[in-house]
Amino acid sequence: MNLQLLQTRLAYTFRDTGLLQQALTHRSHSAVHNERLEFLGDSILNCVVASILYERFTNLDEGDLSRLRANLVKQQSLFEIAQKLELSQFLRLGEGELKSGGFRRPSILADTLEALLGAIFLDTGFDAARDVIRAFIIPLLDTVDPATLGKDAKTLLQEFLQSKKISLPTYNVVATHGAAHSQEFEVECLVPKLNVQVFGRGGSRRAGEQAAARLALEAAQAALTKSPSSRKSKPRAAQLKLGIGTIQGDTASAPTEQPGNTPA
């Protein structure tokens, strides 16, 4: 296990490598594990993110700031940051967790990221932990629209469809790609009433759903700009152009044309 590689990705070098080892250790591995560090890191993360939001969004009130922070520090966001760090290759898991695929479980990866932040705080202090947090939160914030309070694509799609009294979308995993430790999931999102069928890809099922939801929201909004008569006269086979979006972190790529109505 090349811990120097992880430290390079974090842009932080531990003085006490024992803290680093502990932060990467799941309770299934040994009695000395990372749960207390996770508790500490969670508090530091919330504090730093609150400070960043306070500085950046001067017009948001306390309630909106709280909702935005909650969307930034939720498990899915932390999981996607952990994926960028390729944290799964550094985890210390018990045999049972290894066999059951714990190295790609969002909860374990998100918790480990928080434990790392707690370990950095104990190793050097608050300023070092703050710098590491800012390095991955600021790029995330650059993709956030404060008008939506950081809501993810699935939530925005759901709210949009509900406002139009349209049934909620369905999501289906249609394919997986890559090796077990770095799988990519291809997910279909369907909104039958609007003849919307799109595909998204991501490093987890949730990330794939988010990518698909983002494309589906764009397609649903486009469909509703057309007159009702034109939608009714259009045969079901002539669906909106299919696309594939990819989420790496919190961003989705632009749609790319698919050759047909079924995923590759």
Side-chain angles (χ1 to χ4, degrees):
M1 185 184 297
N2 185 357
L3 294 183
Q4 184 55 52
L5 177 60
L6 175 59
Q7 292 176 94
T8 299
R9 291 173 183 170
L10 288 169
Y12 178 81
T13 300
F14 277 83
R15 297 177 181 177
D16 181 356
T17 55
L19 281 170
L20 174 57
Q21 291 273 6
Q22 184 180 349
L24 297 170
T25 303
H26 188 257
R27 66 179 303 161
S28 63
H29 184 276
S30 61
V32 180
H33 52 73
N34 64 9
E35 287 188 356
R36 284 171 54 83
L37 289 174
E38 173 203 336
F39 164 79
L40 183 59
D42 174 72
S43 299
I44 296 164
L45 175 65
N46 275 276
C47 176
V48 173
V49 171
S51 176
I52 294 171
L53 296 179
Y54 183 85
E55 294 169 1
R56 177 172 285 214
F57 300 111
T58 57
N59 295 324
L60 294 183
D61 62 24
E62 184 258 353
D64 286 345
L65 287 170
S66 295
R67 283 185 283 274
L68 183 50
R69 179 181 61 181
N71 276 290
L72 286 170
V73 302
K74 65 185 178 182
Q75 182 185 107
Q76 179 63 22
S77 299
L78 300 181
F79 168 60
E80 290 169 5
I81 293 168
Q83 282 186 304
K84 288 182 178 179
L85 295 170
E86 297 184 29
L87 203 50
S88 61
Q89 64 183 278
F90 304 104
L91 297 179
R92 303 176 73 205
L93 302 173
E95 186 176 346
E97 282 292 349
L98 279 172
K99 288 181 178 178
S100 65
F103 55 87
R104 59 173 175 263
R105 190 166 298 140
S107 59
I108 289 179
L109 286 164
D111 290 348
T112 303
L113 180 62
E114 289 181 330
L116 281 169
L117 299 176
I120 291 169
F121 170 77
L122 292 180
D123 190 55
T124 310
F126 181 81
D127 288 351
R130 180 197 60 202
D131 291 345
V132 171
I133 293 168
R134 289 182 66 90
F136 59 68
I137 287 294
I138 295 297
L140 202 59
L141 266 181
D142 290 339
T143 70
V144 168
D145 179 0
T148 66
L149 300 179
K151 293 176 183 176
D152 61 38
K154 286 185 67 176
T155 301
L156 292 173
L157 175 61
Q158 177 177 316
E159 291 179 349
F160 176 78
L161 294 177
Q162 287 176 327
S163 72
K164 305 298 181 183
K165 300 187 180 344
I166 297 173
S167 298
L168 297 183
T170 57
Y171 298 91
N172 306 294
V173 176
V174 296
T176 57
H177 310 277
H181 69 279
S182 59
Q183 280 189 323
E184 185 178 62
F185 292 77
E186 187 171 340
V187 178
E188 172 191 55
C189 179
L190 298 171
V191 185
K193 186 173 181 179
L194 300 178
N195 286 338
V196 170
Q197 179 191 31
V198 294
F199 302 91
R201 289 183 179 180
S204 68
R205 175 173 181 160
R206 283 191 179 187
E209 288 176 351
Q210 292 291 349
R214 188 164 300 181
L215 290 174
L217 178 58
E218 294 172 1
Q221 290 170 332
L224 288 174
T225 61
K226 302 175 182 179
S227 68
S229 58
S230 67
R231 289 202 308 274
K232 289 179 181 178
S233 63
K234 193 172 185 177
R236 181 172 177 79
Q239 293 180 325
L240 294 170
K241 181 188 294 185
L242 303 184
I244 289 184
T246 302
I247 282 189
Q248 297 295 340
D250 279 344
T251 59
S253 67
T256 57
E257 187 173 348
Q258 284 287 94
N261 288 344
T262 57

